[in-house]
Amino acid sequence: MSVVAVLQGTEAEDRQTTLAAIEIARRLNTPVTGLFALPDPMAVLMVSTSPEMATVSPAATQSVIDMQAKMTKIAKTVFHDATSTGAHGLDCDFFHEVNTVERASANAATLADAVVFPRSAATTSAPLYMAFEHVMMEARLPLVLAGTDNIPTGPVIIAWDGSNGASRAVRFHLPLIRAFGDVIIAQAPKDLERDAARPVAEPGTLEDWLKRHGVSVKVAGIEGDVAGGLLALAKGSGASMIVAGAYGHSRLGERLFGGTTRHLLSAKDAPALALAR
C-alpha cells in the first residue's frame, strides 16, 4: 500500500502532485509511489496511423519514443527532486508503466491508500483528464485532487448531505480522515429540508460514526451557494482538504457534474479535494 502520485511529464503539475502525495503519505506513514504511464508506441501508431501512412511508421515510431522518453525523464526528475527534499523517512519509488494512463490509474486506485492527481486533471483539455474521469466516473474509485497550494495542517471538511456519493467518499477516505484527525462536518440547511425523511442526512449521525473511529468532530452550517460556502469555510479554518461526493455521470467521454462539484473542481483557490462517486 502507498500513496500514488499520478504524473504526466510536465514539471509544474508533477511537482504539485508529488508534494501533495508526500504530505498525505507523511500523515499515513506509508510509502510514496510516482506513477507515470504511457502506452506502447506501436499501439499509439496503430490507432493514429492510416494504412496509407504505413511507410512512415519507423520515423513516426521513433518520434513517439523520443517524446515519451523526454516526458518520462521530466516526471522522474521532478519526482526524485521533490521526494529527496520533502519525504524524509518515507520510502519513495518511481514507476514507469507501459499502459494507458486510464487503466494504470484505476489499477492503482483499487488498492492504494490514496491516488493523487494534479489539480489541472479536472480540466477537459488537460493530459490527465481522461484518466481522472475514468477513475472517478467509470471505475467509481476514490481519488484526491491536489490543492492549489501545499496541504496545510488544518482540519478536513466533509461536505455532508447523507447521499450515496457523500457516504462513499467518507468511507473510502476514512484512513485519510483519521490521519488528519480533526473534521468539520459542513452542511447546508436546505439539504436537511430537502431530504428530511433520511435520518442519515443529519450531521449528528455522521458525527457519532466518526467519533467511534477516533476522529475529533465539529459541525458547521453553510448558507447560500454550497460550493462557495465550502470554500469560504475551508479558507477560514485553514482546512487541509475537502471530502465530497462527486455528483453526475459520464456519457461518451463527456463529464456532466452537478453544480457543487463542478464549482469545487474549477475553483482557483481551494484545498485538496478527496472525491468519490
Side-chain angles (χ1 to χ4, degrees):
M1 301 287 278
S2 68
V3 174
V4 177
V6 182
L7 309 175
Q8 66 179 39
T10 56
E11 186 171 352
E13 287 79 7
D14 287 352
R15 185 171 300 279
Q16 176 197 53
T17 308
T18 303
L19 291 175
I22 290 171
E23 186 57 36
I24 292 171
R26 183 179 291 112
R27 302 295 186 95
L28 293 169
N29 192 29
T30 196
V32 180
T33 300
L35 173 63
F36 184 66
L38 286 173
D40 185 284
M42 290 306 299
V44 174
L45 288 170
M46 287 176 64
V47 172
S48 61
T49 304
S50 65
E52 301 81 38
M53 296 295 290
T55 56
V56 301
S57 61
T61 300
Q62 189 59 50
S63 178
V64 172
I65 291 172
D66 292 344
M67 179 188 67
Q68 289 192 350
K70 181 179 179 180
M71 294 170 65
T72 304
K73 182 178 180 180
I74 292 172
K76 187 174 184 178
T77 300
V78 171
F79 179 80
H80 284 315
D81 285 350
T83 54
S84 64
T85 58
H88 302 297
L90 297 176
D91 291 333
C92 302
D93 186 38
F94 177 85
F95 182 54
H96 175 206
E97 181 173 343
V98 180
N99 201 346
T100 66
V101 68
E102 293 92 336
R103 188 178 297 118
S105 300
N107 290 342
T110 301
L111 292 176
D113 294 296
V115 170
V116 185
F117 281 79
R119 190 73 179 195
S120 61
T123 306
T124 55
S125 59
L128 289 176
Y129 168 74
M130 294 300 294
F132 161 76
E133 185 195 49
H134 177 76
V135 170
M136 187 165 63
M137 306 305 288
E138 300 296 336
R140 300 194 71 174
L141 292 166
L143 59 82
V144 176
L145 273 180
T148 54
D149 203 348
N150 293 337
I151 294 180
T153 58
V156 171
I157 292 176
I158 298 177
W160 182 247
D161 62 359
S163 66
N164 290 339
S167 300
R168 283 169 59 83
V170 172
R171 293 198 307 272
F172 272 136
H173 293 292
L174 179 60
L176 213 57
I177 293 169
R178 293 180 66 182
F180 280 85
D182 296 321
V183 164
I184 299 176
I185 299 174
Q187 188 173 60
K190 65 180 181 181
D191 286 334
L192 285 178
E193 296 168 3
R194 181 194 64 196
D195 207 8
R198 296 185 68 194
V200 71
E202 291 282 353
T205 304
L206 178 60
E207 182 179 7
D208 292 342
W209 185 82
L210 288 170
K211 286 180 176 178
R212 289 198 297 272
H213 287 86
V215 179
S216 173
V217 183
K218 296 179 181 178
V219 178
I222 52 177
E223 301 291 341
D225 170 65
V226 175
L230 288 170
L231 293 170
L233 180 60
K235 186 175 182 178
S237 63
S240 55
M241 69 178 58
I242 296 174
V243 176
Y247 309 104
H249 61 280
S250 178
R251 180 188 301 151
L252 298 178
E254 180 183 5
R255 187 191 64 212
L256 300 174
F257 282 123
T260 297
T261 309
R262 186 169 59 250
H263 292 154
L264 289 175
L265 293 175
S266 62
K268 300 298 183 183
D269 183 16
L273 295 175
L275 303 170
R277 175 172 179 254

